[in-house]
Amino acid sequence: MLHDLFDGYTRSILVFTGVNVLAAYSFYLPFKTGQVSLGQAGFMAIGAYASAVLTQKFGVPFAAALPVAAVVAGMMGVLVGFPALRIKGIYLLLLTLGFAEIVQVITLSWDFVGGAQGFRQIPFIPSILEYVVALIIVLVLFFARLERSSLGRAMDAVHQDETAAEVMGLDVVRIKLLAFGLGAAIAGLAGALYAHHATYIDSNSFNIMVGVEILMFVIIGGSSTYWGPLLGAGFLTLLPEFLRTLRDWLELVPVAWTDFFPMNRVYDFLHDALDFENAKRLIVYGIIIMVMMILRPDGLLTRDSLRRLTMPRGA
Amino acid sequence: MIYQQLINGLMLGASYSLIAIGYTLIFGVLNLLYFAHGEVFMVGAFVGLYLVVYGGANIYVALAGAAIACAALGIVAFYVSVRPVPKDRPLAPLISTIGLTIVLQNLAVYIFGGQQVAFPETIRQELYHVGPVTISSVQIFILVVAVAAMGGLWLFIERTKLGRAIRATAENHETAALLGVDVNRVVLVTFVIGSGIAGIAGVLDGVKNSGISPFMGLGAAVKGLVVMLLGGLGNVVGAMVGGLMLGLIEILSAAYIGTTERDLFSFLILILILLYRPTGLFGTRTAE
């Protein structure tokens, strides 16, 4: 259905953007209770490898393997979540970073899943874009519901002050573990979807930088509302593509407009500056991230800006 | 055999220590996970390479040049990615230093290309046999430079007025400011020193591995973080000893257990420390 709407390249971009959105939500859920994880890439890897093994080695259909991947990653999440209960702040960042590194070392050295050669010939699923879009819609509805539910409010309470939440009778351990485990399960889904689109994964597919980027999606999008992860992941994933498109637009300018003295220099300069094939594009990306944290340290979208959007007359 | 491994472990650990020192200094005074530190290390290696290849400099000039260039880069990094970002949001400075990491790494790819570049031989390779141990002139050079840098830093921190100001600021910002410490200057000094030492570490890494690449920073950064934690956040001597320990642990586990398990060990140690001794092996303070 969606498959025929786009050419292969656009479809790929959309799938990877969607996977990043899911990954951003996997970070956002534990973050709602104040748990900051740099290790979501590790859970993505677990989901990806689980689904790849089930479909390719045991012939399980993808539709059955996908939920299993989420469950496996979610159980891992609860396992990691237990020790994570004891620590906070930079220590939790480092713990989850260490977890992701351990997953990477294991996938690198375990021959059953391809080891250093990587996992090849994972069944390609043509309808992956439908899965991605459907899951994003489900998650947005889930978070919209969560915002108004007692569980969501309990999570906010835990985020703001754990001791106070505990005194009020909230089961802090259960809430934090639930958020961490569910977040890991969402990451597992994202990983599995990635694997069945890329058809090849190796230990480097889910390295530390992937986990770091996921954190960036949420903080840049804005972590105070559930639209933030969607916006951040969408914006940052499509930004390089947008920079590329800018150059294509520039090339549409009629030659007659630009082949006399000052304009030809301007054209060449712009064309050269927008020639974002490799490193340059990422340099611009990095600069934009830095500028963004100076100008909007709370992210692109905050509760206030959302209110202003929905109530235009400053009510 | 075991002595040989011990030497190799110390060699590896010395470079971990040098990177971790910068992390722990900066964490100490700012309570900030400064992500771009590994890229400063990488820039140091490339500055050293350029000085040797195009400047015809000897290795001592290259070391000094890399230290100065990285110290300057540290100042720039502070002013573009730390100073302008509001401090009351704990994740914003982390993200902006990640942005800087991406910029520096890709700037290096843009200028030097994405491949590994050979580091020229700057020290004549000679082998000395001391009993059962074989040690090369390169290894001796690296150990001597690393020990000298760490010793100098230790004297600076423990014996000078500025060093005392750094320790005071690390202990408590407000109190230090009340007692007349210029906190802003202290923060800048820690960036200069930490980055300069990372530059030296970068050149030493080039000399040791005879090849450098724009992607060498990330791995070094992660190992530096493990060492910082091992030594206790903000503890400079802890970072020095912790680096040597991690080096020894990695080399010994690689020699007697297996090379792929080597990284597994360093991260298992990281997790065990986090769970059972979050103040590090020698640390006394905790971070919020």
Side-chain angles (χ1 to χ4, degrees), chain A residues 71-116:
Chain A
V71 169
V72 173
M75 288 194 322
M76 248 348 259
V78 174
L79 272 182
V80 178
F82 260 112
L85 288 170
R86 297 175 46 175
I87 54 181
K88 270 187 188 167
I90 185 176
Y91 295 108
L92 183 56
L93 274 178
L94 290 172
L95 175 84
T96 48
L97 185 94
F99 162 74
E101 282 279 1
I102 288 174
V103 172
Q104 205 185 335
V105 175
I106 291 174
T107 51
L108 180 68
S109 49
W110 193 13
D111 287 330
F112 178 68
V113 295

mmCIF file of all heavy atoms in Angstrom, chain A residues 71-116:
data_model
loop_
_atom_site.group_PDB
_atom_site.id
_atom_site.type_symbol
_atom_site.label_atom_id
_atom_site.label_comp_id
_atom_site.label_asym_id
_atom_site.label_seq_id
_atom_site.Cartn_x
_atom_site.Cartn_y
_atom_site.Cartn_z
ATOM 1 N N VAL A 71 9.730 -8.598 23.205
ATOM 2 C CA VAL A 71 9.683 -9.220 24.533
ATOM 3 C C VAL A 71 11.105 -9.503 25.030
ATOM 4 O O VAL A 71 11.445 -9.221 26.181
ATOM 5 C CB VAL A 71 8.828 -10.507 24.487
ATOM 6 C CG1 VAL A 71 8.996 -11.293 25.783
ATOM 7 C CG2 VAL A 71 7.371 -10.157 24.253
ATOM 8 N N VAL A 72 11.944 -10.055 24.140
ATOM 9 C CA VAL A 72 13.316 -10.369 24.543
ATOM 10 C C VAL A 72 14.044 -9.096 24.983
ATOM 11 O O VAL A 72 14.671 -9.048 26.052
ATOM 12 C CB VAL A 72 14.084 -11.054 23.382
ATOM 13 C CG1 VAL A 72 15.555 -11.217 23.730
ATOM 14 C CG2 VAL A 72 13.469 -12.410 23.074
ATOM 15 N N ALA A 73 13.930 -8.041 24.163
ATOM 16 C CA ALA A 73 14.597 -6.785 24.516
ATOM 17 C C ALA A 73 14.016 -6.221 25.808
ATOM 18 O O ALA A 73 14.753 -5.704 26.661
ATOM 19 C CB ALA A 73 14.455 -5.776 23.375
ATOM 20 N N GLY A 74 12.687 -6.354 25.966
ATOM 21 C CA GLY A 74 12.051 -5.838 27.173
ATOM 22 C C GLY A 74 12.521 -6.576 28.422
ATOM 23 O O GLY A 74 12.763 -5.959 29.464
ATOM 24 N N MET A 75 12.695 -7.902 28.302
ATOM 25 C CA MET A 75 13.175 -8.654 29.465
ATOM 26 C C MET A 75 14.602 -8.246 29.809
ATOM 27 O O MET A 75 14.952 -8.097 30.980
ATOM 28 C CB MET A 75 13.091 -10.158 29.168
ATOM 29 C CG MET A 75 11.648 -10.630 29.158
ATOM 30 S SD MET A 75 11.365 -12.414 29.205
ATOM 31 C CE MET A 75 12.617 -13.097 28.210
ATOM 32 N N MET A 76 15.413 -8.057 28.781
ATOM 33 C CA MET A 76 16.767 -7.551 29.012
ATOM 34 C C MET A 76 16.690 -6.196 29.720
ATOM 35 O O MET A 76 17.491 -5.889 30.608
ATOM 36 C CB MET A 76 17.467 -7.352 27.669
ATOM 37 C CG MET A 76 18.639 -8.249 27.317
ATOM 38 S SD MET A 76 19.328 -9.229 28.602
ATOM 39 C CE MET A 76 20.744 -8.229 28.964
ATOM 40 N N GLY A 77 15.722 -5.385 29.293
ATOM 41 C CA GLY A 77 15.561 -4.057 29.878
ATOM 42 C C GLY A 77 15.262 -4.135 31.368
ATOM 43 O O GLY A 77 15.837 -3.387 32.156
ATOM 44 N N VAL A 78 14.398 -5.083 31.749
ATOM 45 C CA VAL A 78 14.093 -5.227 33.175
ATOM 46 C C VAL A 78 15.349 -5.672 33.929
ATOM 47 O O VAL A 78 15.658 -5.189 35.021
ATOM 48 C CB VAL A 78 12.939 -6.227 33.373
ATOM 49 C CG1 VAL A 78 12.718 -6.497 34.849
ATOM 50 C CG2 VAL A 78 11.672 -5.679 32.735
ATOM 51 N N LEU A 79 16.116 -6.607 33.288
ATOM 52 C CA LEU A 79 17.359 -7.070 33.926
ATOM 53 C C LEU A 79 18.337 -5.924 34.159
ATOM 54 O O LEU A 79 18.960 -5.827 35.216
ATOM 55 C CB LEU A 79 18.041 -8.128 33.031
ATOM 56 C CG LEU A 79 17.607 -9.567 33.241
ATOM 57 C CD1 LEU A 79 18.400 -10.486 32.322
ATOM 58 C CD2 LEU A 79 17.836 -9.960 34.698
ATOM 59 N N VAL A 80 18.482 -5.055 33.137
ATOM 60 C CA VAL A 80 19.387 -3.904 33.285
ATOM 61 C C VAL A 80 18.763 -2.870 34.214
ATOM 62 O O VAL A 80 19.444 -2.198 34.968
ATOM 63 C CB VAL A 80 19.707 -3.277 31.911
ATOM 64 C CG1 VAL A 80 20.608 -2.053 32.071
ATOM 65 C CG2 VAL A 80 20.375 -4.294 31.011
ATOM 66 N N GLY A 81 17.418 -2.805 34.170
ATOM 67 C CA GLY A 81 16.711 -1.817 34.972
ATOM 68 C C GLY A 81 16.882 -2.019 36.466
ATOM 69 O O GLY A 81 16.907 -1.048 37.218
ATOM 70 N N PHE A 82 17.027 -3.270 36.897
ATOM 71 C CA PHE A 82 17.186 -3.530 38.325
ATOM 72 C C PHE A 82 18.412 -2.834 38.909
ATOM 73 O O PHE A 82 18.281 -2.028 39.822
ATOM 74 C CB PHE A 82 17.242 -5.039 38.592
ATOM 75 C CG PHE A 82 15.939 -5.577 39.062
ATOM 76 C CD1 PHE A 82 15.193 -6.433 38.277
ATOM 77 C CD2 PHE A 82 15.451 -5.209 40.314
ATOM 78 C CE1 PHE A 82 13.973 -6.923 38.704
ATOM 79 C CE2 PHE A 82 14.236 -5.689 40.752
ATOM 80 C CZ PHE A 82 13.496 -6.546 39.949
ATOM 81 N N PRO A 83 19.613 -3.130 38.388
ATOM 82 C CA PRO A 83 20.765 -2.392 38.932
ATOM 83 C C PRO A 83 20.647 -0.890 38.684
ATOM 84 O O PRO A 83 21.139 -0.092 39.477
ATOM 85 C CB PRO A 83 21.965 -2.987 38.201
ATOM 86 C CG PRO A 83 21.419 -3.736 37.060
ATOM 87 C CD PRO A 83 20.041 -4.145 37.427
ATOM 88 N N ALA A 84 19.963 -0.510 37.593
ATOM 89 C CA ALA A 84 19.853 0.913 37.276
ATOM 90 C C ALA A 84 19.023 1.660 38.314
ATOM 91 O O ALA A 84 19.113 2.871 38.424
ATOM 92 C CB ALA A 84 19.244 1.089 35.884
ATOM 93 N N LEU A 85 18.218 0.908 39.092
ATOM 94 C CA LEU A 85 17.402 1.564 40.117
ATOM 95 C C LEU A 85 18.264 2.264 41.153
ATOM 96 O O LEU A 85 17.869 3.253 41.750
ATOM 97 C CB LEU A 85 16.553 0.513 40.842
ATOM 98 C CG LEU A 85 15.391 -0.086 40.072
ATOM 99 C CD1 LEU A 85 14.817 -1.253 40.839
ATOM 100 C CD2 LEU A 85 14.338 0.981 39.840
ATOM 101 N N ARG A 86 19.454 1.691 41.381
ATOM 102 C CA ARG A 86 20.273 2.167 42.488
ATOM 103 C C ARG A 86 21.027 3.449 42.159
ATOM 104 O O ARG A 86 21.547 4.100 43.052
ATOM 105 C CB ARG A 86 21.296 1.093 42.873
ATOM 106 C CG ARG A 86 20.645 -0.150 43.373
ATOM 107 C CD ARG A 86 21.637 -1.243 43.633
ATOM 108 N NE ARG A 86 22.817 -0.781 44.364
ATOM 109 C CZ ARG A 86 23.770 -1.587 44.775
ATOM 110 N NH1 ARG A 86 23.700 -2.855 44.526
ATOM 111 N NH2 ARG A 86 24.815 -1.105 45.420
ATOM 112 N N ILE A 87 21.165 3.761 40.879
ATOM 113 C CA ILE A 87 22.059 4.870 40.539
ATOM 114 C C ILE A 87 21.362 5.888 39.657
ATOM 115 O O ILE A 87 20.314 5.632 39.080
ATOM 116 C CB ILE A 87 23.336 4.349 39.826
ATOM 117 C CG1 ILE A 87 22.953 3.504 38.630
ATOM 118 C CG2 ILE A 87 24.195 3.608 40.801
ATOM 119 C CD1 ILE A 87 24.131 2.952 37.917
ATOM 120 N N LYS A 88 21.979 7.043 39.548
ATOM 121 C CA LYS A 88 21.354 8.194 38.899
ATOM 122 C C LYS A 88 22.366 9.005 38.121
ATOM 123 O O LYS A 88 23.569 8.827 38.283
ATOM 124 C CB LYS A 88 20.824 9.116 39.992
ATOM 125 C CG LYS A 88 19.449 8.838 40.394
ATOM 126 C CD LYS A 88 19.029 9.927 41.349
ATOM 127 C CE LYS A 88 17.706 9.561 41.934
ATOM 128 N NZ LYS A 88 17.392 10.389 43.042
ATOM 129 N N GLY A 89 21.848 9.947 37.358
ATOM 130 C CA GLY A 89 22.700 10.959 36.729
ATOM 131 C C GLY A 89 23.792 10.368 35.868
ATOM 132 O O GLY A 89 23.562 9.442 35.082
ATOM 133 N N ILE A 90 24.990 10.871 36.043
ATOM 134 C CA ILE A 90 26.105 10.466 35.189
ATOM 135 C C ILE A 90 26.417 8.984 35.366
ATOM 136 O O ILE A 90 26.836 8.306 34.419
ATOM 137 C CB ILE A 90 27.345 11.331 35.474
ATOM 138 C CG1 ILE A 90 28.456 10.981 34.506
ATOM 139 C CG2 ILE A 90 27.795 11.199 36.898
ATOM 140 C CD1 ILE A 90 29.678 11.823 34.635
ATOM 141 N N TYR A 91 26.137 8.439 36.589
ATOM 142 C CA TYR A 91 26.419 7.022 36.807
ATOM 143 C C TYR A 91 25.520 6.147 35.954
ATOM 144 O O TYR A 91 25.943 5.137 35.413
ATOM 145 C CB TYR A 91 26.241 6.680 38.285
ATOM 146 C CG TYR A 91 27.241 7.367 39.169
ATOM 147 C CD1 TYR A 91 26.869 8.407 40.004
ATOM 148 C CD2 TYR A 91 28.580 6.980 39.140
ATOM 149 C CE1 TYR A 91 27.802 9.034 40.809
ATOM 150 C CE2 TYR A 91 29.508 7.611 39.934
ATOM 151 C CZ TYR A 91 29.120 8.638 40.775
ATOM 152 O OH TYR A 91 30.039 9.263 41.543
ATOM 153 N N LEU A 92 24.250 6.552 35.829
ATOM 154 C CA LEU A 92 23.323 5.773 35.012
ATOM 155 C C LEU A 92 23.713 5.878 33.532
ATOM 156 O O LEU A 92 23.655 4.888 32.788
ATOM 157 C CB LEU A 92 21.889 6.264 35.235
ATOM 158 C CG LEU A 92 20.812 5.481 34.494
ATOM 159 C CD1 LEU A 92 20.892 4.008 34.842
ATOM 160 C CD2 LEU A 92 19.438 6.015 34.819
ATOM 161 N N LEU A 93 24.130 7.077 33.107
ATOM 162 C CA LEU A 93 24.615 7.244 31.740
ATOM 163 C C LEU A 93 25.740 6.258 31.455
ATOM 164 O O LEU A 93 25.761 5.575 30.430
ATOM 165 C CB LEU A 93 25.165 8.663 31.555
ATOM 166 C CG LEU A 93 24.201 9.767 31.180
ATOM 167 C CD1 LEU A 93 24.934 11.090 31.099
ATOM 168 C CD2 LEU A 93 23.591 9.466 29.830
ATOM 169 N N LEU A 94 26.690 6.188 32.395
ATOM 170 C CA LEU A 94 27.851 5.330 32.173
ATOM 171 C C LEU A 94 27.462 3.852 32.245
ATOM 172 O O LEU A 94 27.980 3.036 31.484
ATOM 173 C CB LEU A 94 28.942 5.641 33.197
ATOM 174 C CG LEU A 94 29.611 7.006 33.001
ATOM 175 C CD1 LEU A 94 30.543 7.326 34.157
ATOM 176 C CD2 LEU A 94 30.383 7.037 31.694
ATOM 177 N N LEU A 95 26.524 3.503 33.141
ATOM 178 C CA LEU A 95 26.087 2.111 33.243
ATOM 179 C C LEU A 95 25.456 1.646 31.931
ATOM 180 O O LEU A 95 25.776 0.583 31.403
ATOM 181 C CB LEU A 95 25.075 1.945 34.376
ATOM 182 C CG LEU A 95 24.475 0.534 34.490
ATOM 183 C CD1 LEU A 95 25.392 -0.377 35.288
ATOM 184 C CD2 LEU A 95 23.098 0.551 35.118
ATOM 185 N N THR A 96 24.571 2.472 31.381
ATOM 186 C CA THR A 96 23.889 2.068 30.155
ATOM 187 C C THR A 96 24.851 2.076 28.969
ATOM 188 O O THR A 96 24.747 1.243 28.073
ATOM 189 C CB THR A 96 22.695 2.999 29.879
ATOM 190 O OG1 THR A 96 23.128 4.354 30.018
ATOM 191 C CG2 THR A 96 21.581 2.740 30.857
ATOM 192 N N LEU A 97 25.817 3.005 29.003
ATOM 193 C CA LEU A 97 26.862 3.009 27.977
ATOM 194 C C LEU A 97 27.656 1.708 28.025
ATOM 195 O O LEU A 97 27.911 1.069 26.998
ATOM 196 C CB LEU A 97 27.790 4.208 28.220
ATOM 197 C CG LEU A 97 28.877 4.457 27.202
ATOM 198 C CD1 LEU A 97 28.379 5.443 26.175
ATOM 199 C CD2 LEU A 97 30.128 5.019 27.844
ATOM 200 N N GLY A 98 28.013 1.290 29.245
ATOM 201 C CA GLY A 98 28.742 0.036 29.418
ATOM 202 C C GLY A 98 27.931 -1.145 28.925
ATOM 203 O O GLY A 98 28.449 -2.031 28.251
ATOM 204 N N PHE A 99 26.630 -1.149 29.201
ATOM 205 C CA PHE A 99 25.755 -2.221 28.733
ATOM 206 C C PHE A 99 25.780 -2.305 27.200
ATOM 207 O O PHE A 99 25.939 -3.376 26.623
ATOM 208 C CB PHE A 99 24.327 -2.000 29.241
ATOM 209 C CG PHE A 99 23.295 -2.771 28.481
ATOM 210 C CD1 PHE A 99 23.169 -4.136 28.650
ATOM 211 C CD2 PHE A 99 22.479 -2.125 27.556
ATOM 212 C CE1 PHE A 99 22.241 -4.857 27.932
ATOM 213 C CE2 PHE A 99 21.554 -2.843 26.832
ATOM 214 C CZ PHE A 99 21.427 -4.205 27.014
ATOM 215 N N ALA A 100 25.636 -1.138 26.547
ATOM 216 C CA ALA A 100 25.630 -1.129 25.080
ATOM 217 C C ALA A 100 26.962 -1.633 24.526
ATOM 218 O O ALA A 100 27.004 -2.363 23.524
ATOM 219 C CB ALA A 100 25.332 0.278 24.559
ATOM 220 N N GLU A 101 28.059 -1.257 25.184
ATOM 221 C CA GLU A 101 29.376 -1.730 24.732
ATOM 222 C C GLU A 101 29.481 -3.244 24.865
ATOM 223 O O GLU A 101 30.032 -3.920 23.990
ATOM 224 C CB GLU A 101 30.485 -1.069 25.550
ATOM 225 C CG GLU A 101 30.805 0.362 25.136
ATOM 226 C CD GLU A 101 31.714 0.414 23.911
ATOM 227 O OE1 GLU A 101 32.082 -0.643 23.379
ATOM 228 O OE2 GLU A 101 32.052 1.542 23.505
ATOM 229 N N ILE A 102 28.933 -3.784 25.973
ATOM 230 C CA ILE A 102 29.011 -5.235 26.180
ATOM 231 C C ILE A 102 28.213 -5.961 25.102
ATOM 232 O O ILE A 102 28.670 -6.945 24.526
ATOM 233 C CB ILE A 102 28.507 -5.593 27.595
ATOM 234 C CG1 ILE A 102 29.553 -5.144 28.615
ATOM 235 C CG2 ILE A 102 28.240 -7.082 27.720
ATOM 236 C CD1 ILE A 102 29.146 -5.308 30.046
ATOM 237 N N VAL A 103 27.018 -5.425 24.774
ATOM 238 C CA VAL A 103 26.226 -6.034 23.702
ATOM 239 C C VAL A 103 27.027 -6.015 22.400
ATOM 240 O O VAL A 103 27.061 -6.987 21.653
ATOM 241 C CB VAL A 103 24.884 -5.289 23.519
ATOM 242 C CG1 VAL A 103 24.160 -5.796 22.287
ATOM 243 C CG2 VAL A 103 24.007 -5.463 24.743
ATOM 244 N N GLN A 104 27.707 -4.899 22.166
ATOM 245 C CA GLN A 104 28.478 -4.781 20.925
ATOM 246 C C GLN A 104 29.617 -5.800 20.881
ATOM 247 O O GLN A 104 29.844 -6.445 19.857
ATOM 248 C CB GLN A 104 29.034 -3.361 20.796
ATOM 249 C CG GLN A 104 29.288 -2.982 19.352
ATOM 250 C CD GLN A 104 29.959 -1.624 19.223
ATOM 251 O OE1 GLN A 104 29.851 -0.763 20.099
ATOM 252 N NE2 GLN A 104 30.666 -1.420 18.144
ATOM 253 N N VAL A 105 30.317 -5.959 21.999
ATOM 254 C CA VAL A 105 31.419 -6.927 22.029
ATOM 255 C C VAL A 105 30.884 -8.340 21.809
ATOM 256 O O VAL A 105 31.472 -9.137 21.066
ATOM 257 C CB VAL A 105 32.183 -6.839 23.369
ATOM 258 C CG1 VAL A 105 33.238 -7.930 23.450
ATOM 259 C CG2 VAL A 105 32.828 -5.481 23.528
ATOM 260 N N ILE A 106 29.724 -8.651 22.428
ATOM 261 C CA ILE A 106 29.174 -9.999 22.282
ATOM 262 C C ILE A 106 28.756 -10.265 20.839
ATOM 263 O O ILE A 106 29.083 -11.305 20.262
ATOM 264 C CB ILE A 106 27.973 -10.201 23.247
ATOM 265 C CG1 ILE A 106 28.487 -10.234 24.692
ATOM 266 C CG2 ILE A 106 27.218 -11.480 22.916
ATOM 267 C CD1 ILE A 106 27.400 -10.275 25.735
ATOM 268 N N THR A 107 28.081 -9.294 20.198
ATOM 269 C CA THR A 107 27.672 -9.533 18.806
ATOM 270 C C THR A 107 28.886 -9.607 17.887
ATOM 271 O O THR A 107 28.838 -10.242 16.850
ATOM 272 C CB THR A 107 26.721 -8.421 18.299
ATOM 273 O OG1 THR A 107 27.305 -7.149 18.561
ATOM 274 C CG2 THR A 107 25.373 -8.501 18.981
ATOM 275 N N LEU A 108 29.966 -8.947 18.300
ATOM 276 C CA LEU A 108 31.177 -8.990 17.477
ATOM 277 C C LEU A 108 31.863 -10.344 17.571
ATOM 278 O O LEU A 108 32.457 -10.827 16.600
ATOM 279 C CB LEU A 108 32.144 -7.884 17.924
ATOM 280 C CG LEU A 108 33.469 -7.781 17.174
ATOM 281 C CD1 LEU A 108 33.238 -7.334 15.744
ATOM 282 C CD2 LEU A 108 34.407 -6.810 17.871
ATOM 283 N N SER A 109 31.763 -11.000 18.733
ATOM 284 C CA SER A 109 32.566 -12.209 18.912
ATOM 285 C C SER A 109 31.752 -13.499 18.837
ATOM 286 O O SER A 109 32.322 -14.579 18.830
ATOM 287 C CB SER A 109 33.308 -12.132 20.261
ATOM 288 O OG SER A 109 32.415 -11.789 21.283
ATOM 289 N N TRP A 110 30.436 -13.402 18.761
ATOM 290 C CA TRP A 110 29.602 -14.609 18.755
ATOM 291 C C TRP A 110 29.389 -15.076 17.321
ATOM 292 O O TRP A 110 28.684 -14.435 16.548
ATOM 293 C CB TRP A 110 28.267 -14.285 19.441
ATOM 294 C CG TRP A 110 27.452 -15.488 19.784
ATOM 295 C CD1 TRP A 110 27.849 -16.794 19.778
ATOM 296 C CD2 TRP A 110 26.082 -15.492 20.195
ATOM 297 N NE1 TRP A 110 26.828 -17.602 20.167
ATOM 298 C CE2 TRP A 110 25.733 -16.847 20.421
ATOM 299 C CE3 TRP A 110 25.117 -14.505 20.386
ATOM 300 C CZ2 TRP A 110 24.451 -17.224 20.826
ATOM 301 C CZ3 TRP A 110 23.850 -14.887 20.792
ATOM 302 C CH2 TRP A 110 23.525 -16.233 21.017
ATOM 303 N N ASP A 111 29.965 -16.229 16.995
ATOM 304 C CA ASP A 111 29.939 -16.677 15.605
ATOM 305 C C ASP A 111 28.544 -17.094 15.140
ATOM 306 O O ASP A 111 28.225 -17.002 13.966
ATOM 307 C CB ASP A 111 30.912 -17.849 15.408
ATOM 308 C CG ASP A 111 32.343 -17.347 15.435
ATOM 309 O OD1 ASP A 111 32.541 -16.182 15.042
ATOM 310 O OD2 ASP A 111 33.231 -18.091 15.866
ATOM 311 N N PHE A 112 27.705 -17.553 16.073
ATOM 312 C CA PHE A 112 26.354 -17.978 15.706
ATOM 313 C C PHE A 112 25.580 -16.852 15.021
ATOM 314 O O PHE A 112 24.757 -17.100 14.134
ATOM 315 C CB PHE A 112 25.610 -18.435 16.978
ATOM 316 C CG PHE A 112 24.186 -18.850 16.734
ATOM 317 C CD1 PHE A 112 23.891 -19.993 15.999
ATOM 318 C CD2 PHE A 112 23.126 -18.089 17.227
ATOM 319 C CE1 PHE A 112 22.582 -20.375 15.772
ATOM 320 C CE2 PHE A 112 21.817 -18.457 16.999
ATOM 321 C CZ PHE A 112 21.542 -19.615 16.267
ATOM 322 N N VAL A 113 25.837 -15.595 15.417
ATOM 323 C CA VAL A 113 25.140 -14.480 14.774
ATOM 324 C C VAL A 113 26.046 -13.753 13.779
ATOM 325 O O VAL A 113 25.830 -12.593 13.461
ATOM 326 C CB VAL A 113 24.577 -13.483 15.810
ATOM 327 C CG1 VAL A 113 23.498 -14.128 16.648
ATOM 328 C CG2 VAL A 113 25.684 -12.928 16.695
ATOM 329 N N GLY A 114 27.075 -14.469 13.305
ATOM 330 C CA GLY A 114 27.898 -13.908 12.244
ATOM 331 C C GLY A 114 29.197 -13.271 12.720
ATOM 332 O O GLY A 114 30.088 -13.022 11.921
ATOM 333 N N GLY A 115 29.298 -12.975 14.000
ATOM 334 C CA GLY A 115 30.535 -12.395 14.538
ATOM 335 C C GLY A 115 30.959 -11.151 13.780
ATOM 336 O O GLY A 115 30.121 -10.303 13.448
ATOM 337 N N ALA A 116 32.250 -11.074 13.479
ATOM 338 C CA ALA A 116 32.780 -9.883 12.822
ATOM 339 C C ALA A 116 32.266 -9.744 11.383
ATOM 340 O O ALA A 116 32.244 -8.652 10.830
ATOM 341 C CB ALA A 116 34.305 -9.921 12.828
#
